[in-house]
């Protein structure tokens, strides 16, 4: 079991209802119908952007469990150039990146159009929930310095 860094608030025990609320959104995304491997790619990429070591470690391992190979996972940070990603995955990764950087990008129409070509309206909403919840988890984990467990 991991523990929070001394001096930072152990948010999961101090405010468990907030943590559980995020967990409900996470649970929704897990059962919404999006492919688990795609969701893990999104969680991994957003966590990379946000510099969340805890979530990068967790979602890399979850992506392997979902069937993604190591070579593809190692290329997630360079998905724009890597040949391993489908058009659907690329659209999802672009959408995840533009929403994660929303203060700078303002969710451009070209990214929105690209995601709607490859995803239904419900899937776009579900993908957006996935991006939102992992960004929220990242901010809590980074802000409170949740450490990567020494053993997985």
């Amino acid at each position: 079991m991991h523990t929070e860094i001394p001096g930072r608030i152990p948010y999961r025990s101090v405010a468990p209802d907030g943590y559980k609320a995020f967990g409900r959104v996470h649970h929704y995304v897990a059962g919404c119908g999006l492919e688990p491997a795609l969701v893990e790619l999104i969680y991994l990429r957003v966590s990379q952007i946000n510099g969340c070591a805890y979530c990068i470690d967790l979602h890399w391992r979850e992506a392997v469990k979902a069937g993604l190979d190591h070579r593809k996972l190692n290329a997630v940070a360079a998905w724009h150039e890597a040949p391993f990603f489908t058009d659907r995955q690329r659209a999802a990764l672009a959408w995840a990146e533009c929403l994660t950087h929303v203060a700078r990008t303002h969710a451009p129409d070209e990214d929105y159009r690209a995601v709607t070509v490859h995803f239904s309206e419900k899937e776009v909403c579900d993908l957006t929930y996935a991006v939102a919840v992992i960004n929220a988890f990242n901010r809590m984990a980074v802000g409170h310095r949740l450490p990567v467990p020494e053993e997985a």
Side-chain angles (χ1 to χ4, degrees), residues 66-132:
L68 291 166
D69 70 35
H70 295 182
R71 198 164 175 216
K72 183 177 236 177
L73 291 174
N74 290 339
V76 168
W79 68 267
H80 293 272
E81 294 84 29
F84 313 121
F85 301 92
T86 67
D87 289 344
R88 180 174 165 91
Q89 290 168 336
R90 289 177 187 286
L93 288 162
W95 187 240
E97 286 187 1
C98 83
L99 292 180
T100 299
H101 296 294
V102 74
R104 181 174 45 83
T105 68
H106 305 286
D109 290 342
E110 57 270 18
D111 289 335
Y112 179 77
R113 279 191 292 275
V115 80
T116 61
V117 166
H118 298 283
F119 293 87
S120 71
E121 288 182 352
K122 181 182 180 304
E123 288 174 325
V124 172
C125 293
D126 291 340
L127 186 60
T128 304
Y129 283 125
V131 173

Side-chain angles (χ1 to χ4, degrees), residues 40-77:
E40 292 303 332
L41 280 176
I42 297 312
Y43 287 169
L44 179 59
R45 181 63 189 129
V46 170
S47 297
Q48 289 173 335
I49 292 167
N50 289 326
C52 184
Y54 178 87
C55 295
I56 291 168
D57 177 67
L58 172 66
H59 292 293
W60 192 92
R61 288 183 283 111
E62 292 298 316
V64 170
K65 288 180 191 173
L68 291 166
D69 70 35
H70 295 182
R71 198 164 175 216
K72 183 177 236 177
L73 291 174
N74 290 339
V76 168

